[in-house]
Amino acid sequence: MGLDITWAVDWVRQSADVIAEHRVELITLDREIGDGDHGENMDRGFQAVLPKLDDLPAGSTPGDVLKLVATTLISTVGGAAGPLYGTAYLRGAVAAGSAASLDGAAVAAVLAAARDGIVARGKAETGDKTMVDAWTPAVEAAALAASNGADAAAVLAAAADAARAGSDATVPLVARKGRASYLGERSAGHRDPGAQSSALLLRAAADTASVSAGA
């Protein structure tokens, strides 16, 4: 079963709820190794997207929703997160194209495009203690699930599980990119806030897909 505009809109709404719920956690994580504004910025960005969902024209696609998120985050989210997430959603929108529904392979392609956008924008790689440490395992898990014939919901579930594990794996790492890299060895022992927000957003995607699949 593919994921359509209803899922895409539900994902954004769930994302806004999840980020709001974890806002203080993300602020705390970022305060430990960054400038402390990640939770505030992400919450502001997703809250800004919500009213715009009601103005989507008839016939809109998942790609249109991703593009709306991208442009809103770029214009409202400060710090590094705005350009990084904005690029991710924009690249994902391009990969989704004009398809009315996304199957497992299409979802995997969207996630890969989003990750590649983050890498291109931030110049980070796995092990640098950034959101890439959540996105790359998510993309790999999604690709494997899709190649095994999993449907879109199962592909997202695999991605979300891998992203969570990737976020966990940032704790012992020494940061090599971003503001956290200024701390050197002192950055070890702290979870990367971008990896954590990425894991939360991908879990929201999987949860809403699960509901859509069961509808």
Side-chain angles (χ1 to χ4, degrees):
M1 179 179 177
L3 299 175
D4 59 11
I5 182 67
T6 300
W7 162 76
V9 170
D10 288 346
W11 175 25
V12 176
R13 295 191 190 283
Q14 179 68 12
S15 295
D17 288 345
V18 167
I19 292 298
E21 178 184 350
H22 291 269
R23 172 180 164 274
V24 173
E25 173 197 350
L26 294 173
I27 288 172
T28 301
L29 290 175
D30 197 30
R31 188 176 292 136
E32 291 171 345
I33 59 173
D35 49 17
D37 63 355
H38 188 60
E40 187 69 42
N41 286 341
M42 292 295 290
D43 185 41
R44 180 173 63 252
F46 275 96
Q47 292 303 317
V49 178
L50 291 179
K52 298 182 180 182
L53 294 173
D54 296 328
D55 296 328
L56 282 167
S60 292
T61 65
D64 293 326
V65 175
L66 295 176
K67 185 177 181 180
L68 175 65
V69 174
T71 55
T72 305
L73 294 185
I74 289 171
S75 64
T76 60
V77 178
L84 289 170
Y85 272 119
T87 302
Y89 280 94
L90 192 58
R91 293 284 189 92
V94 172
S98 59
S101 180
L102 305 176
D103 62 11
V107 167
V110 166
L111 295 181
R115 188 276 312 273
D116 292 348
I118 292 169
V119 171
R121 187 83 187 193
K123 310 301 182 187
E125 57 188 39
T126 303
D128 283 346
K129 198 183 182 88
T130 71
M131 61 175 65
V132 174
D133 289 298
W135 276 93
T136 291
V139 166
E140 292 171 349
L144 179 60
S147 69
N148 289 330
D151 65 12
V155 167
L156 281 173
D161 288 343
R164 175 64 199 189
S167 175
D168 291 344
T170 65
V171 175
L173 296 177
V174 174
R176 299 194 298 244
K177 289 287 184 180
R179 186 177 292 271
S181 66
Y182 302 156
L183 297 177
E185 296 290 335
R186 288 179 295 152
S187 63
H190 301 281
R191 183 184 301 272
D192 179 70
Q196 179 68 350
S197 61
S198 296
L200 291 171
L201 293 173
L202 288 171
R203 174 55 60 191
D207 287 349
T208 50
S210 176
V211 171
S212 295

